[in-house]
Amino acid sequence: MIDVQDLSVSFGSGASAKQVVKGVSFSVTKGETLGIVGESGCGKSTVLRSLAGLDRHWTGTINLDGTDVDKDRTREQMLLTQMVFQDPYGSIHPRHRISRVLAEPIRAMDRGKGWDKVAAALEQVGLPAAFADRFPHQLSGGQRQRVAIARALMLEPEIILLDEPTSALDVSVQAEVLNLLADLKEARQLTYVLVSHDLSVIAHMCDRVLVMKSGVFVDELTKEDLYEGRTHHDYSRMLFEASAL
Amino acid sequence: MSAQIPSSEPVTRPRSAILSALAPIWEKLSREPVGLCGFFVLFLLLVLALFAPLIAPYDPAVQNLQAAFLPPSLSHLAGTDEFGRDIFSRLVYGARITISTIMSVTLIVGPIGLIVGVVSGFVGGRTDAILMRFTDIVLSFPSLILALAFAAALGAGLGTAVIAISLTSWPAIARLARAEALIVRNTDYVAAARLYGASPMRLLFLYIAPMCIPSVVVRLTLNMAGIILTAASLGFLGLGAQPPAPEWGAMISSGRKFMLDHWWVAVMPGLAILITSLAFNLVGDTLRDLLDPRHARS
C-alpha cells in the first residue's frame, strides 16, 4: 500500500540546512497498522507530513497504492490518504458548524453537496446526528477528535495518517478514541500509519513498530516483540525501560 | 464529474439557530454599560439621520436675518447662526452627511483592505512583497495632504473627501488582515483542507477570510472616529462638503469668527463631533472585547 524509498527531508538551504529525516525506507501492506515511535523532534511527524503531501521539502520516492506520487498530488492521490491531527482544538475550523466541517471534503472535491452524508458520518464515529448544528467550541476534546476522524473518513480514503491522535486527550477518552480507530479499521479495511511517543498507544494499536532516532530508524519491532519486551537496539531498550516506570 | 453523488434534499438551517448564536453576544453586551451607551448614541444618530425632516424643527437652509445669533433657548435648542438658521436643525441634517461619509468610506475601505491583506498573507512570496510595499507607499501619504491635492485636482466636495480618506485608510486594514492570515494559513484546519483538495479560492474565502473579519470589523469601527475627524477637518478647511450643506466641520469653521461673542455657533457642532467620535470609539472597544478573544478582559 505504502512504499517509501530513501526519504530525506531537510529544512533551510546552504550552510544552515538542517536534515531532519535521513534517507529512511519502509513499506506498509494493506490493512496493516504501522507505528512510528521516537522522542520529540526525531522527525517522525515530518515523515507523516511528507506522506500526506503537506511538507514539500522531501526527496526520494513515495509510492502509494502502486503509483509514485509527486509533491503536488492529483485529486485521485489526495483521495487515497487523509490525516488526523494531534490537537483537536486546532484542527477544526472554529467558525464552521460541524455539518460544514464534515461536508467540506465532499464539497471541495466537487463530489456533491455533502450535507446529506453528515448524519451518517457522525453516527459512524458514535456521535448523535444532532451535533451537526453545533460549533466546535460546544464539543469536548474527545468529541472533536471523533469529528476529525469522521472528516478524515468522508472521502473514503484507504490510508489514514494518525499524528499522535490521542496525546491531547484525557486518559479515559484516549481509550475510547483508540477503540473507535480499531473498529473503523476493521470495518473499512483501512491502513494506518500511527505516529506517537506513547508506547502503550503504539503497543495497543500497531502490528509493527519502527523506532526512530535523529532522523533514522534504529529498530523494527513486531507485535510479538512488543509483548515480550524484546528489543534489538540500545535506544529502543532505553525507550521501553523509561515507559515501563 | 462522473462521480457526481446525487444529494437528497439540502439541509436548510433553521432561523432560530442564527438567533441562538447571537444570544450570547447580546448577553455579553448587556454586561458592558459603557459600550451600551456608545451603541445607544450611534442608534440615536442613525435615527436622527433617517428621520431628519421629521425631527428638525426648522429648514436647515432657510435664512432669517432677524433671528441671527439667538442664544440657545426652547424655540432654538442650540441657538441660531449668523444667518439666523437653526443650529439644532442643521446638526440633525448634518448627521446625514456624517453617516453617509462614514458608510461610504467603510464600504470602500473594508473589502479592499481585507482582500489585499488576506491575499498577501495567504499567497506569500513575491505577491506578498509587492502588495505590502505598495501598502507601505500608500501608508506614507498623510490623508489630509492627499485630500488637499485631490480637492485641487477634482474640485472640493464630499465625494472628493470620501475618495481621499478611503485612499489613505485601507493600508491599516490590509496590514491587520495580513497578520491574521499569516497565523491562520499555518493552522491544522487549513492543512486538513489542503489534504482534501480545497482550492486556493476556497481556502481564501471559506477558511481564512472568516477568521480575519472580526478584527477587521473592530478596526473599521475604531477607524470611524478618525473618519469623522478627518471629514470635519476637511470641512473646516473648506475642502469637504460645500456651503450651505450643514457639514459639522464647516459649521465650526464659520462659527469660529464669532466664537467670543456667540460661543454656541462653534461649540454645538463641536460637541456633536466629540460625542459621535467618542461613541464610535466606545463601540469599537466593546466590539473588540466581544469578538476578539485575545483582548478578553480579566
Side-chain angles (χ1 to χ4, degrees), chain A residues 52 54 78 82-83 85 90-97 99 104-105 107-112 115-117 151 155, chain B residues 3-8 11 13 17-18 21 187-189 191-192 194-198 202 206-207 210-211 214 291:
Chain A
L54 286 175
M78 281 177 180
Q82 286 293 315
M83 188 159 164
F85 294 86
S91 65
I92 299 175
H93 199 291
R95 295 192 193 275
H96 287 174
R97 282 174 204 274
S99 53
E104 266 299 301
R107 296 169 71 82
M109 279 282 186
D110 287 330
R111 301 186 122 215
W115 303 116
D116 50 325
K117 307 209 155 187
R151 178 180 63 188
L155 293 169
Chain B
Q4 197 72 263
I5 294 162
S7 59
S8 59
V11 177
R13 196 156 288 151
I18 296 165
T187 55
D188 280 349
Y189 51 84
R194 282 184 211 271
L195 284 185
Y196 52 69
R202 197 177 188 86
L206 275 176
Y207 289 81
M211 297 305 289
L291 297 177

Side-chain angles (χ1 to χ4, degrees), chain A:
Chain A
M1 201 70 209
I2 306 173
D3 190 40
V4 174
Q5 291 299 324
D6 199 26
L7 177 77
S8 299
V9 186
S10 29
F11 296 107
S13 59
S16 64
K18 171 119 179 72
Q19 194 169 18
V20 181
V21 179
K22 298 163 184 162
V24 299
S25 303
F26 62 95
S27 59
V28 190
T29 56
K30 189 171 169 58
E32 191 185 17
T33 301
L34 175 76
I36 301 177
V37 68
E39 62 194 43
S40 302
C42 70
K44 55 192 195 306
S45 285
T46 310
V47 170
L48 210 63
R49 290 176 71 89
S50 304
L51 275 181
L54 286 175
D55 261 333
R56 304 167 58 86
H57 304 276
W58 54 273
T59 55
T61 53
I62 295 179
N63 185 302
L64 298 176
D65 199 25
T67 49
D68 281 350
V69 295
D70 205 355
K71 280 156 191 129
D72 293 309
R73 305 281 164 93
T74 64
R75 292 211 148 177
E76 287 70 34
Q77 290 163 353
M78 281 177 180
L79 289 173
L80 223 48
T81 55
Q82 286 293 315
M83 188 159 164
V84 175
F85 294 86
Q86 175 175 5
D87 179 13
Y89 293 88
S91 65
I92 299 175
H93 199 291
R95 295 192 193 275
H96 287 174
R97 282 174 204 274
I98 302 305
S99 53
R100 175 166 285 281
V101 171
L102 294 177
E104 266 299 301
I106 290 172
R107 296 169 71 82
M109 279 282 186
D110 287 330
R111 301 186 122 215
K113 295 252 181 251
W115 303 116
D116 50 325
K117 307 209 155 187
V118 170
L122 279 171
E123 268 156 30
Q124 175 197 343
V125 293
L127 293 175
F131 274 26
D133 274 337
R134 297 206 185 177
F135 280 104
H137 65 82
Q138 294 167 310
L139 267 56
S140 71
Q143 289 168 336
R144 286 181 197 216
Q145 198 62 309
R146 282 168 189 264
V147 170
I149 292 168
R151 178 180 63 188
L153 292 171
M154 283 314 271
L155 293 169
E156 297 173 356
E158 300 192 40
I159 304 166
I160 303 269
L161 306 169
L162 303 159
D163 187 4
E164 314 214 16
T166 57
S167 62
L169 303 176
D170 254 308
V171 180
S172 58
V173 184
Q174 274 186 12
E176 287 175 23
V177 170
L178 290 177
N179 287 338
L180 171 70
L181 285 170
D183 292 346
L184 287 169
K185 182 189 158 177
E186 204 162 306
R188 292 182 163 232
Q189 300 291 306
L190 296 167
T191 307
Y192 284 161
V193 179
L194 169 66
V195 157
S196 184
H197 58 247
D198 187 343
L199 275 167
S200 57
V201 170
I202 293 272
H204 179 75
M205 294 287 292
C206 299
D207 305 314
R208 201 152 54 86
V209 180
L210 294 168
V211 181
M212 197 167 190
K213 183 176 189 281
S214 340
V216 288
F217 293 137
V218 293
D219 200 352
E220 178 172 346
L221 307 165
T222 61
K223 211 167 179 100
E224 289 76 43
D225 289 335
L226 284 172
Y227 278 120
E228 291 164 22
R230 230 180 307 157
T231 52
H232 315 103
H233 190 276
D234 286 345
Y235 179 69
S236 37
R237 197 174 64 239
M238 204 179 79
L239 215 58
F240 275 72
E241 280 168 359
S243 72
L245 297 172

Side-chain angles (χ1 to χ4, degrees), chain B residues 150-152 154-161 238-242:
Chain B
F150 258 84
L154 299 174
L158 204 57
T160 329
L239 296 168
Q242 292 302 303

Side-chain angles (χ1 to χ4, degrees), chain B residues 12 53 62 102 125 132 137 149 177 254 273 281 293 295-296:
Chain B
T12 47
V62 165
I102 293 170
M132 277 302 118
I137 293 170
S254 62
I273 293 172
N281 266 328
H295 291 277

